[in-house]
Amino acid sequence: MNSVTSKDLANFKVGVDNVIFSVDTQQNRLLVLLSKRLKTPFLNSWSLPGTLVQEGESLEKAAYRTLSELIRVNNLYLEQLYTFGGPNRDPRESPESFGVRYLSVSYFALVRYEEAELIQKSSSPSWYMIEKIPQLAFDHNQILEYGHQRLKSKLKYSPIAFDVLPELFTLNDLYQFYITILGENFSDYSNFRNKLLKLGFLSDTGIKVSKGAGRPASLYRFDEPSFTPLKDKPLLFI
Amino acid sequence: MNSVTSKDLANFKVGVDNVIFSVDTQQNRLLVLLSKRLKTPFLNSWSLPGTLVQEGESLEKAAYRTLSELIRVNNLYLEQLYTFGGPNRDPRESPESFGVRYLSVSYFALVRYEEAELIQKSSSPSWYMIEKIPQLAFDHNQILEYGHQRLKSKLKYSPIAFDVLPELFTLNDLYQFYITILGENFSDYSNFRNKLLKLGFLSDTGIKVSKGAGRPASLYRFDEPSFTPLKDKPLLFI
DNA sequence: ACAAAAGTGTTACCGTTACACCCATGC
DNA sequence: GCATGGGTGTAACGGTAACACTTTTGT
């Protein structure tokens, strides 16, 4: 940081906007949480749930606060996405408003759908299917698209699925989860199975569970310790 | 962004800090550009080159401005890295200073070493070998480490090397470049060669160049059009 | 018995790895 | 001629992809 006279420096408010995904495993739908804006600008538009950062609050804490004001959920994955900070991305930046800039640090979250209880309030948070996202406030459609890309690549390289699946799950549950996010053609079931089991961090509990007709499935559990050695190796889960 | 009373909102200055890498291909050294701080806090400490964002200036433009004030360079790759924004990461955030927060959006850059001409000024920018980084101001050691990780993974998945190598280069030049960043053991030369040539975006110019004794090497060129179809495919360059 | 769901096996193919080897030049 | 740097070839191995097939359940 160098010698510019401080009268040239921009003053910022910093917002945190969250791209919150969940997978409805019953209906195999990928969902995004949107909320209705209660203030200008873009009053009543749909938008990514966000908030302005308060004094003494970290960025991540602001992201968690937004989340906790909309849904009650214990199992989730959250990471920083990207920072959008160009001038004129927010209409409040008009010259009359003393040149305050609005910067958005976006976060990406994946939460357990079954558990996520929406807190009904005036911002009426609701889940939208990824294919049916309406026009959003600000540059939020762009941020959402960026988050969607990140979700897809994260899923391939990292075990984020297990942060969000129930403790015990069948391999088919897992497969459906992957399919819902990555699409039908990413791998066939038998190969998916073999690959994941060979990696060795899924342990068979022996417990069987039946889904109507057909052979009962084994319940598996993600075994954290067996996974750690694989951390930051360039493995694909496909 | 929701209903908090605006007196609780933090006010920010936004800084841009750059992790600027280059590869000294003569001596196979990976270098990072550091500059000396001319102001408190951390007066005279080494730090990542950075600046505070000015009115009307985009984040990326601020990153380019910092760069251009320190070095003259035409060939480079630049992308956003991460945003560090916790409270108390900057000593200027003491209560007496009206609670202004300092947030840092970090950028990651790779520049052509041979071409990069350092602009000697009081901040005395200089290249440091990655193994010999001193104690830096703020949380800059952490940011640098983060940038180093990004450099290594980027190199494996993206053609950023060609943004920085000369127009024409030998396969051995390319190999040395990779080795300098990724270490000796990432691949043997013959396999590296075969893999890259099979990908089909390196075209042999036929021009030969000699390096002392030994058989002369062919000069190759990166062929952008042949690369485009491979974009965003999950290929490893290793 | 038969359909549905889960799980196993098989085979062809392709990329990776670790080498050994050949080629062209300077001294 | 021989060291040096550049370039080619190959054989073992392991993962992937596309299937067919078997097993266990409900009705």
Side-chain angles (χ1 to χ4, degrees):
Chain A
M1 322 205 178
N2 54 44
S3 53
V4 285
T5 61
S6 80
K7 73 173 183 312
D8 295 321
L9 298 181
N11 287 304
F12 286 88
K13 299 290 185 191
V14 173
V16 164
D17 293 307
N18 299 309
V19 187
I20 303 162
F21 290 104
S22 73
V23 173
D24 173 357
T25 41
Q26 305 304 305
Q27 302 184 62
N28 284 15
R29 299 184 309 167
L30 175 57
L31 303 170
V32 182
L33 190 61
L34 299 179
S35 66
K36 215 162 204 162
R37 282 188 57 80
L38 303 172
K39 295 186 187 176
T40 53
F42 295 101
L43 178 66
N44 290 326
S45 282
W46 289 104
S47 69
L48 295 177
T51 188
L52 289 168
V53 178
Q54 298 175 3
E55 291 181 7
E57 187 179 44
S58 73
L59 300 174
E60 189 169 293
K61 202 172 149 243
Y64 274 113
R65 178 165 56 82
T66 313
L67 215 67
S68 68
E69 283 173 0
L70 295 177
I71 54 179
R72 253 180 255 296
V73 70
N74 291 310
N75 295 278
L76 71 120
Y77 174 83
L78 185 131
E79 74 171 25
Q80 192 183 298
L81 194 56
Y82 198 81
T83 297
F84 298 84
N88 308 110
R89 58 170 295 281
D90 191 313
R92 285 169 293 187
E93 289 176 16
S94 50
E96 316 81 86
S97 64
F98 309 103
V100 175
R101 295 261 296 268
Y102 285 83
L103 178 144
S104 162
V105 180
S106 56
Y107 277 78
F108 152 78
L110 182 61
V111 308
R112 184 182 295 182
Y113 178 71
E114 292 71 17
E115 180 196 56
E117 177 198 343
L118 294 184
I119 298 170
Q120 287 307 336
K121 48 191 299 191
S122 42
S123 68
S124 49
S126 24
W127 293 112
Y128 271 79
M129 288 178 59
I130 188 80
E131 303 87 358
K132 298 185 178 170
I133 303 292
Q135 180 80 27
L136 303 178
F138 307 106
D139 47 4
H140 286 188
N141 285 289
Q142 185 196 350
I143 300 178
L144 174 49
E145 180 46 36
Y146 195 86
H148 189 201
Q149 286 306 121
R150 180 82 128 250
L151 170 64
K152 287 186 281 186
S153 54
K154 260 286 158 185
L155 191 66
K156 281 185 246 181
Y157 297 100
S158 308
I160 59 174
F162 309 108
D163 288 328
V164 140
L165 283 171
E167 261 301 289
L168 303 180
F169 50 87
T170 69
L171 290 177
N172 201 51
D173 291 341
L174 184 58
Y175 183 60
Q176 294 306 325
F177 188 93
Y178 271 75
I179 282 213
T180 310
I181 295 178
L182 300 176
E184 292 280 341
N185 311 313
F186 81 99
S187 174
D188 102 354
Y189 176 59
S190 140
N191 294 329
F192 175 81
R193 235 185 110 75
N194 289 329
K195 182 153 188 181
L196 270 153
L197 290 178
K198 205 174 299 173
L199 289 170
F201 52 72
L202 296 183
S203 58
D204 189 340
T205 62
I207 308 169
K208 304 287 180 185
V209 66
S210 246
K211 186 175 165 186
R215 179 172 174 175
S218 265
L219 287 175
Y220 285 78
R221 142 186 302 129
F222 177 67
D223 184 49
E224 190 76 46
S226 335
F227 179 74
T228 16
L230 303 176
K231 263 199 162 52
D232 48 51
K233 294 206 175 173
L235 75 170
L236 287 171
F237 286 154
I238 299 206
Chain B
M1 322 205 176
N2 53 45
S3 52
V4 286
T5 60
S6 80
K7 72 174 183 310
D8 294 321
L9 297 182
N11 287 303
F12 286 88
K13 300 288 186 194
V14 174
V16 164
D17 292 308
N18 300 308
V19 188
I20 303 163
F21 291 105
S22 73
V23 174
D24 174 358
T25 42
Q26 305 304 304
Q27 302 184 62
N28 283 15
R29 300 184 308 166
L30 175 57
L31 304 170
V32 183
L33 190 61
L34 299 179
S35 65
K36 215 161 204 161
R37 282 188 56 81
L38 304 172
K39 295 187 187 175
T40 53
F42 295 101
L43 179 65
N44 290 326
S45 282
W46 289 104
S47 69
L48 296 177
T51 188
L52 290 168
V53 178
Q54 298 177 3
E55 292 182 6
E57 187 179 44
S58 73
L59 300 174
E60 190 170 292
K61 202 172 150 243
Y64 274 113
R65 176 165 58 82
T66 313
L67 216 67
S68 67
E69 282 173 2
L70 295 177
I71 54 178
R72 253 179 256 295
V73 70
N74 291 310
N75 295 277
L76 70 116
Y77 173 83
L78 186 131
E79 74 171 25
Q80 191 184 299
L81 194 55
Y82 198 80
T83 297
F84 298 84
N88 308 112
R89 57 172 296 280
D90 191 313
R92 285 169 291 187
E93 290 176 16
S94 51
E96 318 79 87
S97 64
F98 309 103
V100 175
R101 294 262 295 270
Y102 285 83
L103 177 144
S104 163
V105 180
S106 56
Y107 277 78
F108 152 79
L110 182 60
V111 307
R112 184 182 295 182
Y113 178 71
E114 291 71 17
E115 179 197 57
E117 176 198 345
L118 295 184
I119 298 170
Q120 286 308 335
K121 47 190 298 191
S122 42
S123 68
S124 49
S126 24
W127 293 111
Y128 271 80
M129 287 179 60
I130 189 81
E131 302 87 358
K132 299 185 176 167
I133 302 293
Q135 181 81 27
L136 302 179
F138 307 106
D139 48 3
H140 286 188
N141 285 288
Q142 185 194 350
I143 299 178
L144 174 49
E145 182 45 37
Y146 194 86
H148 189 201
Q149 286 304 123
R150 180 82 128 250
L151 171 63
K152 286 186 280 187
S153 53
K154 260 287 157 183
L155 192 66
K156 281 185 245 178
Y157 297 100
S158 307
I160 59 174
F162 308 108
D163 288 328
V164 142
L165 283 172
E167 261 301 289
L168 303 180
F169 50 86
T170 70
L171 289 177
N172 202 49
D173 291 340
L174 184 58
Y175 183 60
Q176 294 306 324
F177 189 93
Y178 271 76
I179 281 215
T180 310
I181 296 177
L182 299 176
E184 291 281 341
N185 311 314
F186 81 99
S187 174
D188 101 356
Y189 176 58
S190 136
N191 294 329
F192 175 82
R193 236 185 108 74
N194 289 329
K195 181 153 189 180
L196 270 153
L197 290 178
K198 204 174 300 173
L199 288 171
F201 53 71
L202 296 182
S203 58
D204 188 340
T205 61
I207 307 169
K208 304 287 179 186
V209 65
S210 246
K211 186 175 165 187
R215 178 172 176 175
S218 263
L219 287 175
Y220 285 78
R221 143 187 299 130
F222 177 68
D223 184 49
E224 189 77 46
S226 334
F227 178 74
T228 16
L230 303 176
K231 263 199 159 55
D232 48 51
K233 293 207 174 172
L235 75 170
L236 288 172
F237 286 155
I238 301 209

